[in-house]
Amino acid sequence: MDALIGKAIPQLEASLRFREARQAVLAANVANIDTPGYRSADLKFEDALGAAVTLSRSHPAHLSDAPEAGSAYRLELGPRGTRPDGNGVDSDRAMIQLSRNAGAFSDQAEVLARLLALARIAVTGEPR
Amino acid sequence: MKLSDIMDIAASGLSAQRARMTVTASNLANAETTRTPEGGPYRRRDVVFAARPLPGGFRGEIDRALRSVQVDRVIEDSRPPVTRYEPSHPDANAEGNVLLPRIEPVEEFTNMLSASRSFEANLLVLRKAREMGQAALRIGR
Amino acid sequence: MLPGPIDGAAAASALRSLRSGGLEEKPSEVASFAEVAGSVLRGANQAQNEAHQQAQALAGEEGDIVEALLAMSRADLSLRFVVSLRNRALDAYNEIMRLQV
């Protein structure tokens, strides 16, 4: 069935999982905006070779080529804080990252929804 | 790293900042309090935040790195109180001095503002998480 | 795919092109209907189980809504595919049965 639904759908699924995980990391930054000694964190998505993950390998029994949630994620800590209490969160940057990530998630969810609707048509051969 | 985790984290931020606002309000209200049940003038209070890992076991590596926030403790100002010459004050001592809390309204207002902004920030996190949930629901449609 | 008389050979070739996504046909790699159907059924079954698991996790307060929705949309797609395959197979079968021998 993968040939029918194409690569975009598994890629979007993987991206949504990643952005959801990243949102939690960014939320922790905001919650700890005033915590002494806390360092800002971010999440990156790459494979062991440091390259952007491409999804291939079609196995008939598998429906998804998307990597398992949690694979190829890398947690990145920001610099140590310069404030007297040691906190290292830049609140403006934290808010912007958070808003952007949430927006990307929403956009991708919408695109996935539409691709799935198209895939349903392709799979059943019927308009709805 | 689930959406529900995000809400828990944001909720912890809201609680912590609200506690900070409460303590700041208490400081402002008691800036001139010379008499307390414990004896002596009011002592300025402050909250100390600490990062906490999320509850629940069997979490992945990323989950274990996530941190919510909690009020670790409320500390009292250990510095000596301010002395002010005011012999007419009911709590003035023999020399006519009154012991007052070491509280600067400007400092407290600044704290209040900062806490309130951080509170709003966590509110936004909550809102964004809800938006993400709603966006995700479109996937099934 | 419109309802109506379906030529058995055309049905088989339609299934072939279905499997390869209509992009290319490798004449040497003709999959039998059983092979295609088998793998699709296995995949669909797996997807149904996954979706049910996710739904249960959600009901038990420990699931993730995103994972649950992704699992459900996969289950939906795969189930539709199975039904679609079955319908076409049925049509092809009926057509063959109608052939005057």
Side-chain angles (χ1 to χ4, degrees):
Chain A
M1 198 179 80
D2 288 320
L4 273 178
I5 64 177
K7 289 185 185 160
I9 287 179
Q11 279 173 343
L12 278 173
E13 290 182 338
S15 181
L16 284 175
R17 288 191 176 103
F18 166 68
R19 295 216 174 260
E20 188 191 19
R22 184 166 182 247
Q23 193 72 4
V25 173
L26 299 177
N29 290 344
V30 174
N32 285 285
I33 239 170
D34 296 307
T35 305
Y38 182 87
R39 285 168 76 176
S40 218
D42 200 350
L43 200 66
K44 304 281 178 186
F45 181 53
E46 19 178 278
D47 64 15
L49 302 171
V53 177
T54 56
L55 303 157
S56 52
R57 291 178 300 111
S58 180
H59 190 294
H62 287 185
L63 276 175
S64 168
D65 290 337
E68 297 284 301
S71 74
Y73 292 178
R74 193 169 51 86
L75 197 71
E76 219 176 55
L77 281 185
R80 292 191 191 281
T82 50
R83 283 165 38 183
D85 63 357
N87 178 287
V89 180
D90 177 346
S91 57
D92 295 328
R93 184 150 181 274
M95 297 310 296
I96 290 171
Q97 280 180 322
L98 194 104
S99 292
R100 282 230 187 97
N101 193 61
F105 180 95
S106 295
D107 292 345
Q108 286 170 5
E110 180 65 38
V111 172
L112 179 64
R114 297 189 194 203
L115 281 180
L116 286 171
L118 290 174
R120 264 177 237 132
I121 296 172
V123 150
T124 61
E126 273 148 39
R128 280 266 154 233
Chain B
M1 52 192 181
K2 311 178 294 198
L3 281 181
S4 55
D5 289 341
I6 297 175
M7 311 238 192
D8 292 340
I9 290 171
S12 79
L14 290 173
S15 287
Q17 296 298 344
R18 185 127 56 86
R20 186 176 167 209
M21 286 193 268
T22 303
V23 160
T24 308
S26 167
N27 290 342
L28 277 169
N30 288 289
E32 300 278 308
T33 300
T34 52
R35 209 184 303 180
T36 59
E38 310 84 58
Y42 176 87
R43 282 191 178 276
R44 183 181 179 274
R45 283 177 180 76
D46 207 353
V47 287
V48 178
F49 292 156
R52 291 263 179 279
L54 299 183
F58 308 115
R59 286 174 173 273
E61 185 196 325
I62 305 299
D63 285 351
R64 280 196 297 270
L66 294 174
R67 295 286 180 268
S68 64
V69 67
Q70 245 176 56
V71 175
D72 187 47
R73 56 193 192 282
V74 180
I75 54 177
E76 270 188 14
D77 196 344
S78 56
R79 293 173 298 175
V82 170
T83 313
R84 191 166 74 201
Y85 183 69
E86 204 178 310
S88 56
H89 195 285
D91 288 313
N93 61 12
E95 288 88 42
N97 288 326
V98 188
L99 295 176
L100 289 162
R102 204 171 273 273
I103 291 175
E104 289 296 324
V106 171
E107 185 190 343
E108 302 302 321
F109 281 131
T110 306
N111 264 342
M112 185 64 90
L113 210 59
S114 166
S116 140
R117 279 216 199 93
S118 299
F119 185 90
E120 294 290 335
N122 280 290
L123 221 53
L124 186 76
V125 174
L126 215 54
R127 237 195 323 249
K128 288 292 171 188
R130 202 180 58 209
E131 282 172 18
M132 285 168 74
Q134 283 167 343
L137 285 173
R138 280 185 228 122
I139 291 171
R141 295 276 153 83
Chain C
M1 295 292 156
L2 303 168
I6 294 178
D7 156 35
S13 108
L15 282 170
R16 259 204 307 280
S17 76
L18 209 64
R19 183 174 181 254
S20 66
L23 300 165
E24 47 180 64
E25 279 203 34
K26 299 177 192 163
S28 54
E29 212 185 270
V30 176
S32 78
F33 176 72
E35 283 171 25
V36 174
S39 89
V40 166
L41 278 171
R42 272 193 302 276
N45 200 44
Q46 193 186 329
Q48 301 299 314
N49 290 339
E50 181 64 33
H52 279 286
Q53 262 178 38
Q54 290 291 342
Q56 273 183 323
L58 216 55
E61 303 275 338
E62 43 173 57
D64 176 12
I65 186 71
V66 173
E67 290 294 341
L69 287 165
L70 291 179
M72 269 163 226
S73 69
R74 287 205 162 268
D76 174 84
L77 261 184
S78 59
L79 190 60
R80 285 172 194 265
F81 192 41
V82 166
V83 168
S84 171
L85 268 188
R86 186 208 64 185
N87 290 345
R88 290 169 217 244
L90 219 50
D91 290 340
Y93 176 78
N94 288 333
E95 182 62 27
I96 290 167
M97 287 299 110
R98 275 201 287 272
L99 288 173
Q100 304 290 344
V101 181

mmCIF file of all heavy atoms in Angstrom, chain C residues 7-53:
data_model
loop_
_atom_site.group_PDB
_atom_site.id
_atom_site.type_symbol
_atom_site.label_atom_id
_atom_site.label_comp_id
_atom_site.label_asym_id
_atom_site.label_seq_id
_atom_site.Cartn_x
_atom_site.Cartn_y
_atom_site.Cartn_z
ATOM 1 N N ASP C 7 -13.306 -7.231 -17.172
ATOM 2 C CA ASP C 7 -12.571 -8.312 -17.810
ATOM 3 C C ASP C 7 -11.581 -8.887 -16.796
ATOM 4 O O ASP C 7 -10.841 -8.160 -16.151
ATOM 5 C CB ASP C 7 -11.908 -7.731 -19.058
ATOM 6 C CG ASP C 7 -10.705 -8.512 -19.474
ATOM 7 O OD1 ASP C 7 -10.718 -9.741 -19.317
ATOM 8 O OD2 ASP C 7 -9.769 -7.875 -19.964
ATOM 9 N N GLY C 8 -11.596 -10.219 -16.640
ATOM 10 C CA GLY C 8 -10.772 -10.878 -15.621
ATOM 11 C C GLY C 8 -9.305 -10.562 -15.745
ATOM 12 O O GLY C 8 -8.619 -10.282 -14.774
ATOM 13 N N ALA C 9 -8.821 -10.569 -16.980
ATOM 14 C CA ALA C 9 -7.395 -10.289 -17.179
ATOM 15 C C ALA C 9 -7.091 -8.847 -16.826
ATOM 16 O O ALA C 9 -6.046 -8.525 -16.254
ATOM 17 C CB ALA C 9 -7.010 -10.570 -18.628
ATOM 18 N N ALA C 10 -8.030 -7.980 -17.147
ATOM 19 C CA ALA C 10 -7.835 -6.564 -16.823
ATOM 20 C C ALA C 10 -7.818 -6.366 -15.311
ATOM 21 O O ALA C 10 -7.061 -5.555 -14.776
ATOM 22 C CB ALA C 10 -8.932 -5.710 -17.463
ATOM 23 N N ALA C 11 -8.637 -7.156 -14.631
ATOM 24 C CA ALA C 11 -8.662 -7.049 -13.164
ATOM 25 C C ALA C 11 -7.310 -7.428 -12.590
ATOM 26 O O ALA C 11 -6.771 -6.769 -11.715
ATOM 27 C CB ALA C 11 -9.763 -7.926 -12.583
ATOM 28 N N ALA C 12 -6.746 -8.523 -13.115
ATOM 29 C CA ALA C 12 -5.439 -8.963 -12.619
ATOM 30 C C ALA C 12 -4.386 -7.904 -12.882
ATOM 31 O O ALA C 12 -3.538 -7.605 -12.038
ATOM 32 C CB ALA C 12 -5.054 -10.285 -13.273
ATOM 33 N N SER C 13 -4.454 -7.302 -14.067
ATOM 34 C CA SER C 13 -3.435 -6.302 -14.372
ATOM 35 C C SER C 13 -3.681 -5.020 -13.571
ATOM 36 O O SER C 13 -2.752 -4.296 -13.230
ATOM 37 C CB SER C 13 -3.392 -6.033 -15.882
ATOM 38 O OG SER C 13 -3.933 -4.781 -16.187
ATOM 39 N N ALA C 14 -4.933 -4.785 -13.252
ATOM 40 C CA ALA C 14 -5.239 -3.620 -12.416
ATOM 41 C C ALA C 14 -4.638 -3.804 -11.031
ATOM 42 O O ALA C 14 -4.076 -2.889 -10.446
ATOM 43 C CB ALA C 14 -6.752 -3.415 -12.323
ATOM 44 N N LEU C 15 -4.739 -5.009 -10.511
ATOM 45 C CA LEU C 15 -4.146 -5.303 -9.221
ATOM 46 C C LEU C 15 -2.637 -5.155 -9.269
ATOM 47 O O LEU C 15 -2.008 -4.663 -8.353
ATOM 48 C CB LEU C 15 -4.503 -6.721 -8.774
ATOM 49 C CG LEU C 15 -5.914 -6.868 -8.220
ATOM 50 C CD1 LEU C 15 -6.257 -8.339 -8.040
ATOM 51 C CD2 LEU C 15 -6.027 -6.148 -6.901
ATOM 52 N N ARG C 16 -2.049 -5.583 -10.349
ATOM 53 C CA ARG C 16 -0.599 -5.452 -10.501
ATOM 54 C C ARG C 16 -0.190 -3.988 -10.457
ATOM 55 O O ARG C 16 0.726 -3.603 -9.760
ATOM 56 C CB ARG C 16 -0.150 -6.054 -11.845
ATOM 57 C CG ARG C 16 0.447 -7.430 -11.724
ATOM 58 C CD ARG C 16 1.363 -7.744 -12.885
ATOM 59 N NE ARG C 16 0.730 -7.547 -14.188
ATOM 60 C CZ ARG C 16 -0.089 -8.427 -14.761
ATOM 61 N NH1 ARG C 16 -0.389 -9.548 -14.157
ATOM 62 N NH2 ARG C 16 -0.627 -8.167 -15.946
ATOM 63 N N SER C 17 -0.922 -3.192 -11.224
ATOM 64 C CA SER C 17 -0.532 -1.783 -11.284
ATOM 65 C C SER C 17 -0.860 -1.094 -9.954
ATOM 66 O O SER C 17 -0.217 -0.149 -9.559
ATOM 67 C CB SER C 17 -1.218 -1.071 -12.452
ATOM 68 O OG SER C 17 -2.563 -0.817 -12.120
ATOM 69 N N LEU C 18 -1.853 -1.622 -9.262
ATOM 70 C CA LEU C 18 -2.184 -1.115 -7.932
ATOM 71 C C LEU C 18 -0.993 -1.280 -7.003
ATOM 72 O O LEU C 18 -0.636 -0.413 -6.229
ATOM 73 C CB LEU C 18 -3.377 -1.910 -7.391
ATOM 74 C CG LEU C 18 -4.307 -1.213 -6.410
ATOM 75 C CD1 LEU C 18 -4.979 -0.049 -7.084
ATOM 76 C CD2 LEU C 18 -5.354 -2.189 -5.944
ATOM 77 N N ARG C 19 -0.383 -2.464 -7.101
ATOM 78 C CA ARG C 19 0.732 -2.770 -6.214
ATOM 79 C C ARG C 19 1.947 -1.917 -6.530
ATOM 80 O O ARG C 19 2.652 -1.469 -5.654
ATOM 81 C CB ARG C 19 1.073 -4.251 -6.340
ATOM 82 C CG ARG C 19 2.182 -4.668 -5.404
ATOM 83 C CD ARG C 19 2.380 -6.163 -5.475
ATOM 84 N NE ARG C 19 3.426 -6.588 -4.579
ATOM 85 C CZ ARG C 19 4.628 -6.953 -4.972
ATOM 86 N NH1 ARG C 19 4.928 -6.959 -6.238
ATOM 87 N NH2 ARG C 19 5.543 -7.326 -4.096
ATOM 88 N N SER C 20 2.178 -1.687 -7.805
ATOM 89 C CA SER C 20 3.378 -0.925 -8.154
ATOM 90 C C SER C 20 3.101 0.572 -8.198
ATOM 91 O O SER C 20 3.960 1.358 -8.544
ATOM 92 C CB SER C 20 3.910 -1.398 -9.512
ATOM 93 O OG SER C 20 2.962 -1.076 -10.521
ATOM 94 N N GLY C 21 1.863 0.933 -7.838
ATOM 95 C CA GLY C 21 1.540 2.355 -7.801
ATOM 96 C C GLY C 21 1.316 2.929 -9.174
ATOM 97 O O GLY C 21 1.285 4.133 -9.365
ATOM 98 N N GLY C 22 1.185 2.065 -10.167
ATOM 99 C CA GLY C 22 0.915 2.557 -11.511
ATOM 100 C C GLY C 22 2.105 3.249 -12.132
ATOM 101 O O GLY C 22 2.012 3.862 -13.185
ATOM 102 N N LEU C 23 3.269 3.213 -11.453
ATOM 103 C CA LEU C 23 4.403 3.963 -11.958
ATOM 104 C C LEU C 23 5.192 3.153 -12.979
ATOM 105 O O LEU C 23 5.719 3.664 -13.939
ATOM 106 C CB LEU C 23 5.333 4.339 -10.805
ATOM 107 C CG LEU C 23 4.695 5.191 -9.720
ATOM 108 C CD1 LEU C 23 5.561 5.198 -8.483
ATOM 109 C CD2 LEU C 23 4.489 6.610 -10.216
ATOM 110 N N GLU C 24 5.298 1.870 -12.686
ATOM 111 C CA GLU C 24 6.087 1.041 -13.611
ATOM 112 C C GLU C 24 5.600 -0.382 -13.501
ATOM 113 O O GLU C 24 5.110 -0.791 -12.447
ATOM 114 C CB GLU C 24 7.545 1.105 -13.198
ATOM 115 C CG GLU C 24 7.671 0.896 -11.702
ATOM 116 C CD GLU C 24 9.087 0.945 -11.214
ATOM 117 O OE1 GLU C 24 9.695 2.007 -11.324
ATOM 118 O OE2 GLU C 24 9.552 -0.096 -10.752
ATOM 119 N N GLU C 25 5.720 -1.107 -14.566
ATOM 120 C CA GLU C 25 5.352 -2.516 -14.500
ATOM 121 C C GLU C 25 6.546 -3.369 -14.851
ATOM 122 O O GLU C 25 7.162 -3.188 -15.895
ATOM 123 C CB GLU C 25 4.198 -2.783 -15.495
ATOM 124 C CG GLU C 25 2.858 -2.368 -14.918
ATOM 125 C CD GLU C 25 1.702 -3.098 -15.571
ATOM 126 O OE1 GLU C 25 1.873 -4.267 -15.928
ATOM 127 O OE2 GLU C 25 0.657 -2.469 -15.750
ATOM 128 N N LYS C 26 6.910 -4.245 -13.941
ATOM 129 C CA LYS C 26 8.009 -5.156 -14.222
ATOM 130 C C LYS C 26 7.420 -6.485 -14.630
ATOM 131 O O LYS C 26 6.898 -7.209 -13.776
ATOM 132 C CB LYS C 26 8.862 -5.338 -12.964
ATOM 133 C CG LYS C 26 9.482 -4.045 -12.476
ATOM 134 C CD LYS C 26 10.236 -4.286 -11.196
ATOM 135 C CE LYS C 26 10.608 -2.950 -10.565
ATOM 136 N NZ LYS C 26 10.986 -3.070 -9.183
ATOM 137 N N PRO C 27 7.522 -6.789 -15.894
ATOM 138 C CA PRO C 27 6.857 -8.005 -16.389
ATOM 139 C C PRO C 27 7.374 -9.262 -15.691
ATOM 140 O O PRO C 27 6.654 -10.232 -15.541
ATOM 141 C CB PRO C 27 7.195 -8.031 -17.884
ATOM 142 C CG PRO C 27 7.850 -6.734 -18.191
ATOM 143 C CD PRO C 27 8.210 -6.057 -16.928
ATOM 144 N N SER C 28 8.625 -9.200 -15.245
ATOM 145 C CA SER C 28 9.175 -10.403 -14.623
ATOM 146 C C SER C 28 8.637 -10.588 -13.214
ATOM 147 O O SER C 28 8.733 -11.652 -12.632
ATOM 148 C CB SER C 28 10.703 -10.279 -14.572
ATOM 149 O OG SER C 28 11.039 -9.062 -13.924
ATOM 150 N N GLU C 29 8.080 -9.549 -12.634
ATOM 151 C CA GLU C 29 7.696 -9.626 -11.225
ATOM 152 C C GLU C 29 6.185 -9.629 -11.094
ATOM 153 O O GLU C 29 5.609 -8.718 -10.515
ATOM 154 C CB GLU C 29 8.266 -8.385 -10.533
ATOM 155 C CG GLU C 29 8.654 -8.624 -9.097
ATOM 156 C CD GLU C 29 9.090 -7.312 -8.439
ATOM 157 O OE1 GLU C 29 10.283 -7.031 -8.526
ATOM 158 O OE2 GLU C 29 8.221 -6.598 -7.917
ATOM 159 N N VAL C 30 5.553 -10.638 -11.659
ATOM 160 C CA VAL C 30 4.101 -10.700 -11.564
ATOM 161 C C VAL C 30 3.731 -11.327 -10.241
ATOM 162 O O VAL C 30 3.943 -12.506 -10.003
ATOM 163 C CB VAL C 30 3.517 -11.540 -12.728
ATOM 164 C CG1 VAL C 30 2.020 -11.682 -12.570
ATOM 165 C CG2 VAL C 30 3.853 -10.876 -14.057
ATOM 166 N N ALA C 31 3.162 -10.547 -9.384
ATOM 167 C CA ALA C 31 2.773 -11.083 -8.088
ATOM 168 C C ALA C 31 1.441 -11.782 -8.215
ATOM 169 O O ALA C 31 0.538 -11.300 -8.897
ATOM 170 C CB ALA C 31 2.685 -9.957 -7.077
ATOM 171 N N SER C 32 1.312 -12.863 -7.551
ATOM 172 C CA SER C 32 0.031 -13.552 -7.587
ATOM 173 C C SER C 32 -0.938 -12.784 -6.714
ATOM 174 O O SER C 32 -0.546 -12.050 -5.801
ATOM 175 C CB SER C 32 0.173 -14.980 -7.062
ATOM 176 O OG SER C 32 0.237 -14.946 -5.649
ATOM 177 N N PHE C 33 -2.181 -12.949 -6.992
ATOM 178 C CA PHE C 33 -3.186 -12.258 -6.208
ATOM 179 C C PHE C 33 -3.094 -12.647 -4.748
ATOM 180 O O PHE C 33 -3.244 -11.820 -3.854
ATOM 181 C CB PHE C 33 -4.580 -12.574 -6.754
ATOM 182 C CG PHE C 33 -5.670 -11.957 -5.928
ATOM 183 C CD1 PHE C 33 -5.883 -10.589 -5.954
ATOM 184 C CD2 PHE C 33 -6.454 -12.723 -5.081
ATOM 185 C CE1 PHE C 33 -6.863 -10.003 -5.171
ATOM 186 C CE2 PHE C 33 -7.446 -12.145 -4.304
ATOM 187 C CZ PHE C 33 -7.659 -10.785 -4.354
ATOM 188 N N ALA C 34 -2.798 -13.910 -4.524
ATOM 189 C CA ALA C 34 -2.699 -14.395 -3.150
ATOM 190 C C ALA C 34 -1.603 -13.673 -2.391
ATOM 191 O O ALA C 34 -1.755 -13.310 -1.230
ATOM 192 C CB ALA C 34 -2.467 -15.895 -3.144
ATOM 193 N N GLU C 35 -0.479 -13.467 -3.070
ATOM 194 C CA GLU C 35 0.626 -12.778 -2.403
ATOM 195 C C GLU C 35 0.234 -11.360 -2.010
ATOM 196 O O GLU C 35 0.442 -10.927 -0.882
ATOM 197 C CB GLU C 35 1.845 -12.716 -3.334
ATOM 198 C CG GLU C 35 2.607 -14.013 -3.446
ATOM 199 C CD GLU C 35 3.657 -13.933 -4.547
ATOM 200 O OE1 GLU C 35 4.105 -12.824 -4.858
ATOM 201 O OE2 GLU C 35 3.983 -14.997 -5.109
ATOM 202 N N VAL C 36 -0.315 -10.663 -2.967
ATOM 203 C CA VAL C 36 -0.703 -9.272 -2.705
ATOM 204 C C VAL C 36 -1.745 -9.216 -1.606
ATOM 205 O O VAL C 36 -1.630 -8.461 -0.638
ATOM 206 C CB VAL C 36 -1.248 -8.617 -3.992
ATOM 207 C CG1 VAL C 36 -1.771 -7.235 -3.694
ATOM 208 C CG2 VAL C 36 -0.175 -8.559 -5.062
ATOM 209 N N ALA C 37 -2.762 -10.039 -1.752
ATOM 210 C CA ALA C 37 -3.846 -10.029 -0.774
ATOM 211 C C ALA C 37 -3.330 -10.384 0.611
ATOM 212 O O ALA C 37 -3.694 -9.758 1.608
ATOM 213 C CB ALA C 37 -4.947 -10.994 -1.203
ATOM 214 N N GLY C 38 -2.463 -11.399 0.652
ATOM 215 C CA GLY C 38 -1.912 -11.823 1.943
ATOM 216 C C GLY C 38 -1.196 -10.699 2.657
ATOM 217 O O GLY C 38 -1.454 -10.422 3.833
ATOM 218 N N SER C 39 -0.308 -10.033 1.948
ATOM 219 C CA SER C 39 0.461 -8.982 2.612
ATOM 220 C C SER C 39 -0.426 -7.812 3.007
ATOM 221 O O SER C 39 -0.242 -7.196 4.057
ATOM 222 C CB SER C 39 1.619 -8.541 1.716
ATOM 223 O OG SER C 39 1.229 -7.504 0.866
ATOM 224 N N VAL C 40 -1.408 -7.522 2.156
ATOM 225 C CA VAL C 40 -2.306 -6.412 2.483
ATOM 226 C C VAL C 40 -3.135 -6.730 3.722
ATOM 227 O O VAL C 40 -3.319 -5.903 4.606
ATOM 228 C CB VAL C 40 -3.216 -6.095 1.281
ATOM 229 C CG1 VAL C 40 -4.370 -5.208 1.693
ATOM 230 C CG2 VAL C 40 -2.420 -5.426 0.176
ATOM 231 N N LEU C 41 -3.616 -7.968 3.775
ATOM 232 C CA LEU C 41 -4.419 -8.365 4.936
ATOM 233 C C LEU C 41 -3.606 -8.312 6.216
ATOM 234 O O LEU C 41 -4.076 -7.850 7.247
ATOM 235 C CB LEU C 41 -4.974 -9.777 4.728
ATOM 236 C CG LEU C 41 -6.231 -9.865 3.875
ATOM 237 C CD1 LEU C 41 -6.548 -11.312 3.548
ATOM 238 C CD2 LEU C 41 -7.408 -9.213 4.594
ATOM 239 N N ARG C 42 -2.354 -8.802 6.118
ATOM 240 C CA ARG C 42 -1.495 -8.767 7.306
ATOM 241 C C ARG C 42 -1.289 -7.333 7.774
ATOM 242 O O ARG C 42 -1.400 -7.012 8.952
ATOM 243 C CB ARG C 42 -0.140 -9.414 7.002
ATOM 244 C CG ARG C 42 -0.111 -10.907 7.222
ATOM 245 C CD ARG C 42 1.317 -11.420 7.203
ATOM 246 N NE ARG C 42 2.004 -11.101 5.949
ATOM 247 C CZ ARG C 42 1.904 -11.836 4.850
ATOM 248 N NH1 ARG C 42 1.130 -12.911 4.832
ATOM 249 N NH2 ARG C 42 2.559 -11.498 3.754
ATOM 250 N N GLY C 43 -0.986 -6.484 6.809
ATOM 251 C CA GLY C 43 -0.764 -5.077 7.152
ATOM 252 C C GLY C 43 -1.992 -4.434 7.762
ATOM 253 O O GLY C 43 -1.911 -3.710 8.749
ATOM 254 N N ALA C 44 -3.154 -4.753 7.164
ATOM 255 C CA ALA C 44 -4.391 -4.169 7.663
ATOM 256 C C ALA C 44 -4.679 -4.658 9.071
ATOM 257 O O ALA C 44 -5.102 -3.895 9.941
ATOM 258 C CB ALA C 44 -5.544 -4.514 6.729
ATOM 259 N N ASN C 45 -4.432 -5.925 9.306
ATOM 260 C CA ASN C 45 -4.663 -6.493 10.624
ATOM 261 C C ASN C 45 -3.775 -5.821 11.665
ATOM 262 O O ASN C 45 -4.222 -5.450 12.758
ATOM 263 C CB ASN C 45 -4.371 -7.991 10.576
ATOM 264 C CG ASN C 45 -5.020 -8.720 11.720
ATOM 265 O OD1 ASN C 45 -6.179 -8.448 12.031
ATOM 266 N ND2 ASN C 45 -4.297 -9.602 12.367
ATOM 267 N N GLN C 46 -2.524 -5.667 11.287
ATOM 268 C CA GLN C 46 -1.580 -5.002 12.177
ATOM 269 C C GLN C 46 -2.048 -3.578 12.493
ATOM 270 O O GLN C 46 -1.993 -3.131 13.632
ATOM 271 C CB GLN C 46 -0.217 -4.973 11.489
ATOM 272 C CG GLN C 46 0.929 -4.591 12.380
ATOM 273 C CD GLN C 46 2.216 -4.448 11.575
ATOM 274 O OE1 GLN C 46 2.399 -5.133 10.574
ATOM 275 N NE2 GLN C 46 3.072 -3.558 11.996
ATOM 276 N N ALA C 47 -2.511 -2.895 11.463
ATOM 277 C CA ALA C 47 -2.955 -1.513 11.647
ATOM 278 C C ALA C 47 -4.168 -1.449 12.562
ATOM 279 O O ALA C 47 -4.278 -0.552 13.406
ATOM 280 C CB ALA C 47 -3.272 -0.884 10.292
ATOM 281 N N GLN C 48 -5.098 -2.415 12.398
ATOM 282 C CA GLN C 48 -6.281 -2.429 13.267
ATOM 283 C C GLN C 48 -5.869 -2.621 14.722
ATOM 284 O O GLN C 48 -6.350 -1.929 15.621
ATOM 285 C CB GLN C 48 -7.233 -3.575 12.885
ATOM 286 C CG GLN C 48 -7.759 -3.543 11.473
ATOM 287 C CD GLN C 48 -8.557 -2.295 11.191
ATOM 288 O OE1 GLN C 48 -9.396 -1.899 11.975
ATOM 289 N NE2 GLN C 48 -8.261 -1.656 10.081
ATOM 290 N N ASN C 49 -4.964 -3.579 14.947
ATOM 291 C CA ASN C 49 -4.504 -3.832 16.314
ATOM 292 C C ASN C 49 -3.863 -2.597 16.920
ATOM 293 O O ASN C 49 -4.114 -2.231 18.061
ATOM 294 C CB ASN C 49 -3.499 -4.995 16.318
ATOM 295 C CG ASN C 49 -4.158 -6.319 16.012
ATOM 296 O OD1 ASN C 49 -5.373 -6.459 16.169
ATOM 297 N ND2 ASN C 49 -3.385 -7.283 15.552
ATOM 298 N N GLU C 50 -3.014 -1.990 16.125
ATOM 299 C CA GLU C 50 -2.316 -0.787 16.594
ATOM 300 C C GLU C 50 -3.319 0.297 16.977
ATOM 301 O O GLU C 50 -3.192 0.934 18.020
ATOM 302 C CB GLU C 50 -1.385 -0.295 15.477
ATOM 303 C CG GLU C 50 -0.573 0.926 15.817
ATOM 304 C CD GLU C 50 0.410 0.688 16.948
ATOM 305 O OE1 GLU C 50 0.915 -0.455 17.058
ATOM 306 O OE2 GLU C 50 0.651 1.625 17.722
ATOM 307 N N ALA C 51 -4.311 0.499 16.126
ATOM 308 C CA ALA C 51 -5.313 1.528 16.385
ATOM 309 C C ALA C 51 -6.074 1.230 17.680
ATOM 310 O O ALA C 51 -6.317 2.124 18.492
ATOM 311 C CB ALA C 51 -6.278 1.648 15.208
ATOM 312 N N HIS C 52 -6.423 -0.036 17.864
ATOM 313 C CA HIS C 52 -7.153 -0.407 19.077
ATOM 314 C C HIS C 52 -6.300 -0.195 20.315
ATOM 315 O O HIS C 52 -6.767 0.290 21.342
ATOM 316 C CB HIS C 52 -7.628 -1.860 18.994
ATOM 317 C CG HIS C 52 -8.875 -2.028 18.190
ATOM 318 N ND1 HIS C 52 -10.111 -1.653 18.659
ATOM 319 C CD2 HIS C 52 -9.078 -2.488 16.938
ATOM 320 C CE1 HIS C 52 -11.027 -1.894 17.737
ATOM 321 N NE2 HIS C 52 -10.426 -2.398 16.676
ATOM 322 N N GLN C 53 -5.031 -0.571 20.206
ATOM 323 C CA GLN C 53 -4.115 -0.363 21.331
ATOM 324 C C GLN C 53 -4.025 1.103 21.704
ATOM 325 O O GLN C 53 -4.080 1.477 22.869
ATOM 326 C CB GLN C 53 -2.713 -0.850 20.956
ATOM 327 C CG GLN C 53 -2.385 -2.236 21.441
ATOM 328 C CD GLN C 53 -1.007 -2.658 20.974
ATOM 329 O OE1 GLN C 53 -0.095 -1.840 20.935
ATOM 330 N NE2 GLN C 53 -0.867 -3.906 20.609
#
